[in-house]
Amino acid sequence: MRIAVLGGGSWGTALAIHAARLHDDVALWVRGEDKAQQLEAERENARYLPGLAFPEDLRVSAAPEIIEGRDLILVAVPSGAFRETLRWVSPQIASDQVVAWATKGLETATGAWLHEIAEQELGPEHPPALVSGPSFAAEVAQEQPTALSVASSDEGHMDCLVEALHGRSLRLYRNPDVIGVELGGALKNVLAVATGIADGAGFGANARAALMTRGLAEIQRFGEAVGARPETLTGLSGLGDMILTCTDNQSRNRRLGRLLGQGLDLARARAEVGQSVEGVETARVAVARAQALDVEMPICAEVHAVLYQGRPVHDTVRRLLERDPAREAG
């Protein structure tokens, strides 16, 4: 296969490295000619994945022509750059090219799902297709065993993603539930901020387990409101991704939460993490959408209050614990 991965961050670089181990014509597109030349010269992404050498068959470019004739164009940029990237790529793609994404989150300006943005920017002739699930970029690049979901309303697009990425250390599972896979990948970031806050404040393993379990209930309520399949939300791109992101400090969202729990303000915490933290913006958008859908999401709401209203961490925990008793189901 001929594959182009768009996005020179940790995730895009890791996917490009993995794909280039499976195929002999893989390109990584990055923004800026200087950056492309640097990556080509050094043959590694020293900022995001230091020490992980590029395969011989991986080439790096900032030229738009890099996507011409590619069987698969895989977008792996932060959610805030997703629409801009699709808008840039749209005039250049042919009808027989598959465009998919490995981006997680919601559009911060509008609250739109990524598949809604894709339909608006690419048109109905390009069905939505994505890859998501429990995965840290460095471990994928290091060929640590990983399992992910590929989702699309089109079987051919799922087949294309499987052919492009399935192999060696990476196993893929097909799932036609696009909205469910997107939802799990977006909302787990907010819960990772929550568990990070609790751990940073020293609240212990009991609190972490409670936040994860009740956080999953919030995702399931939200999923029911938007038509996601329940089994998706207890699968790789739901529960699996949530466990990974909430419990391991490779997660940028969890690390940011820990810094907040230790007393840093949001600006200092973001600077300390030094990379995009999707859960910060997703918390704002998710709470707004939940309110519009009349879905109760108290944990996400409290994370939002810490991030945007300056609510002290201990007040947040107290508010959650002092909620009225309720049945566990639902």
Side-chain angles (χ1 to χ4, degrees):
M1 290 187 73
R2 303 190 67 210
I3 301 165
V5 179
L6 310 186
S10 56
W11 190 215
T13 303
L15 288 170
I17 288 172
H18 172 74
R21 291 174 176 147
L22 299 174
H23 306 278
D24 59 9
D25 192 353
V26 177
L28 174 63
W29 176 86
V30 299
R31 187 185 299 275
E33 186 60 38
D34 289 346
K35 182 176 180 180
Q37 291 179 2
Q38 179 185 3
L39 293 181
E40 271 288 1
E42 297 177 354
R43 301 303 297 168
E44 70 170 303
N45 193 331
R47 177 179 178 185
Y48 294 113
L49 296 175
L52 291 168
F54 292 171
E56 284 187 15
D57 292 322
L58 176 62
R59 65 190 185 98
V60 185
S61 175
E65 294 79 15
I66 200 70
I67 68 172
E68 292 179 359
R70 299 285 166 178
D71 302 299
L72 171 64
I73 300 165
L74 183 59
V75 180
V77 299
S79 59
F82 187 72
R83 184 184 294 274
E84 176 189 0
T85 303
L86 291 191
R87 190 167 289 173
W88 169 77
V89 80
S90 178
Q92 306 173 66
I93 60 175
S95 59
D96 61 344
Q97 289 180 293
V98 173
V99 181
W101 62 91
T103 301
K104 298 176 182 178
L106 297 166
E107 185 172 52
T108 57
T110 67
W113 296 105
L114 300 186
H115 76 269
E116 295 172 333
I117 299 171
E119 183 174 357
Q120 293 165 10
E121 299 298 335
L122 302 178
E125 63 271 22
H126 290 282
L130 68 149
V131 56
S132 187
S135 50
F136 290 132
E139 293 192 10
V140 170
Q142 292 163 356
E143 296 198 89
Q144 296 290 340
T146 303
L148 301 175
S149 299
V150 294
S152 180
S153 57
D154 184 280
E155 286 286 345
H157 280 38
M158 284 193 284
D159 290 343
C160 179
L161 280 167
V162 169
E163 183 180 351
L165 299 175
H166 183 89
R168 295 177 72 116
S169 60
L170 184 59
R171 179 175 177 83
L172 299 181
Y173 291 82
R174 294 171 175 85
N175 189 336
D177 182 13
V178 170
I179 187 68
V181 171
E182 280 193 320
L183 188 157
L187 296 188
K188 56 89 181 181
N189 286 328
V190 184
L191 299 179
V193 175
T195 58
I197 289 172
D199 284 349
F203 291 133
N206 291 352
R208 185 192 318 125
L211 287 168
M212 291 172 62
T213 306
R214 296 311 303 164
L216 178 61
E218 293 189 14
I219 292 177
Q220 290 172 318
R221 286 197 294 269
F222 196 109
E224 182 179 5
V226 297
R229 296 182 178 184
E231 59 268 28
T232 298
L233 302 180
T234 55
L236 286 169
S237 56
L239 178 61
D241 209 354
M242 187 189 75
I243 291 172
L244 182 84
T245 314
C246 288
T247 61
D248 194 289
N249 287 331
Q250 292 181 76
S251 163
R252 297 192 294 269
N253 294 280
R254 174 177 163 77
R255 292 207 308 273
L256 180 127
R258 282 174 58 90
L259 292 168
L260 295 172
Q262 291 165 2
L264 272 67
D265 61 27
L266 178 58
R268 290 173 60 201
R270 294 180 92 161
E272 183 77 17
V273 173
Q275 297 184 47
S276 172
V277 182
E278 294 283 359
V280 173
E281 295 295 338
T282 300
R284 180 175 58 80
V285 177
V287 167
R289 292 200 69 145
Q291 290 173 345
L293 293 166
D294 196 25
V295 174
E296 188 179 32
M297 301 184 74
I299 296 172
C300 291
E302 289 299 326
V303 170
H304 178 275
V306 170
L307 293 173
Y308 294 104
Q309 299 168 13
R311 181 169 294 159
V313 169
H314 284 76
D315 286 357
T316 288
V317 175
R318 177 182 54 77
R319 286 167 61 89
L320 287 171
L321 292 175
E322 290 180 356
R323 284 167 51 82
D324 291 338
R327 292 184 181 275
E328 183 173 16

